[in-house]
Structure formats: structure tokens, C-alpha cells
Amino acid sequence: EVSAGIVKDTEGVLRALEYNAALGTNVVRSFMEGFGVQFKGISLDDYVSDAISHIKKVLPEFERRGCYLCLENHGGLRMKHIRRVLNELPSEHLGLCLDTGNAVLTFEDPIAVIEELAPRTYTCHLKDWKLIRNADCLIVRGCALGDGVVNLPTAIEILRKRSPRPAELHLNIE
């Protein structure tokens, strides 16, 4: 699969689709900005609306080519934001790059997120986090798979059962 960067860069997404064709793959991963948007004074709801308008521009080309644009549940975006995009754009050619660890960053249950989003998941980043408490705060730190709070065997089992294309599901260690 090819990574396209941010979905608002429609030229970059379409360029990644060209690379995708040259490599003989059918999945392009992209993402919507999360945490950074709020620091710019933009609400996540407004940002998601704008992202949807950009996705609408490129999605017909993915459909024409029989390829999949897969949005990552990227930093700061909650399941409700991802759900909104998928509901407003029900094309089978728009799916997800589900990151098993990113739900931890939004204080959501990773397994609940995976269960809900698995039916639109074509590719996956396997990631795990440790939660470390100190006197002042909670620290989220990346760790080796299986050493953190994400139940990866359960996550993979859910994805294998509920992904729309389980035999072609990409599992990438991040």
C-alpha cells in the first residue's frame, strides 16, 4: 500500500494513487489532521466537513480504478468523527486504515473502536501504548506490541472476522 499523507492534499492523494498503480497495489492510506487542528482554532466538526469535501473530489477516481482510499483513525480524531465520514460517504472504495493504538490517545476503548470500525477496515497499523501515571499527569508511551494496554490478539481476531476483505487485510506493524 502507498501512504498519501493528509487527505486535504488532493493532488498528493491522486499522485499516491498513481504510485499505487505502478506498484500493483490497491490501497492508498491517508489521514485527517487531528490534534493540530484544535490548536489552529478550528473545531474538529468543521475540519471533518472540510475533509469530506476533499475526499469527494478524489473518491470517484478510486472507484473508477477499483482501488481503496483508507483513512487512518489518526491522532485526536474520535470514533464519532470517523463514523461521520463513513456515513456521509458510503462508497465501498472509502475504508479505513485502523490504527489499534490511536483510540488510546482519545481515551476511547480500543476494542470498542475496532469492533465498530472493522467492517470498513482494509488495512491496519498494529500499535500498542503503555499508560504511565506520575504525580502530575498520565503519560502515553509507545511500546513493543503486547507490552501495553491494547489487547492485540482480540483486535486481530475482530478484524479478521469483520473486515470486508479479510483475506486481503493488511496488518502493518507500526
Side-chain angles (χ1 to χ4, degrees):
E1 65 195 61
V2 176
S3 180
I6 194 161
V7 76
K8 289 178 70 170
D9 176 10
T10 54
E11 289 180 20
V13 171
L14 292 174
R15 190 170 44 255
L17 185 58
E18 292 299 323
Y19 298 151
N20 196 54
L23 294 170
T25 63
N26 64 357
V27 172
V28 172
R29 173 227 168 240
S30 188
F31 63 91
M32 297 183 292
E33 192 174 359
F35 292 123
V37 169
Q38 295 167 314
F39 295 118
K40 296 175 185 174
I42 303 168
S43 79
L44 282 175
D45 290 331
D46 289 344
Y47 179 81
V48 170
S49 294
D50 187 52
I52 288 169
S53 71
H54 286 86
I55 295 166
K56 284 179 179 178
K57 293 175 186 174
V58 299
L59 193 54
E61 190 61 20
F62 280 82
E63 292 169 337
R64 188 182 74 72
R65 294 180 185 216
C67 293
Y68 302 92
L69 175 59
C70 296
L71 296 177
E72 183 175 348
N73 58 319
H74 193 64
L77 293 172
R78 299 181 64 80
M79 185 167 49
K80 71 177 186 174
H81 301 113
I82 302 297
R83 184 186 311 121
R84 178 177 164 212
V85 173
L86 296 176
N87 288 342
E88 289 191 31
L89 301 169
S91 171
E92 71 174 299
H93 294 277
L94 176 64
L96 295 175
C97 171
L98 200 148
D99 187 305
T100 60
N102 282 350
V104 175
L105 298 175
T106 58
F107 299 103
E108 295 177 294
D109 176 355
I111 297 302
V113 169
I114 292 164
E115 284 177 340
E116 180 165 339
L117 299 180
R120 293 287 294 273
T121 298
Y122 297 109
T123 185
C124 178
H125 288 170
L126 298 173
K127 185 183 342 178
D128 208 349
W129 298 101
K130 283 187 178 183
L131 299 178
I132 303 164
R133 295 180 196 267
N134 71 22
D136 299 321
C137 63
L138 181 66
I139 299 168
V140 180
R141 181 172 292 150
C143 63
L145 298 179
D147 286 350
V149 298
V150 179
N151 184 336
L152 290 166
T154 298
I156 292 169
E157 179 182 339
I158 293 166
L159 289 165
R160 292 246 185 248
K161 287 181 180 175
R162 301 195 63 213
S163 171
R165 300 174 39 217
E168 298 176 40
L169 177 66
H170 299 181
L171 297 174
N172 304 292
I173 297 173
E174 183 176 31

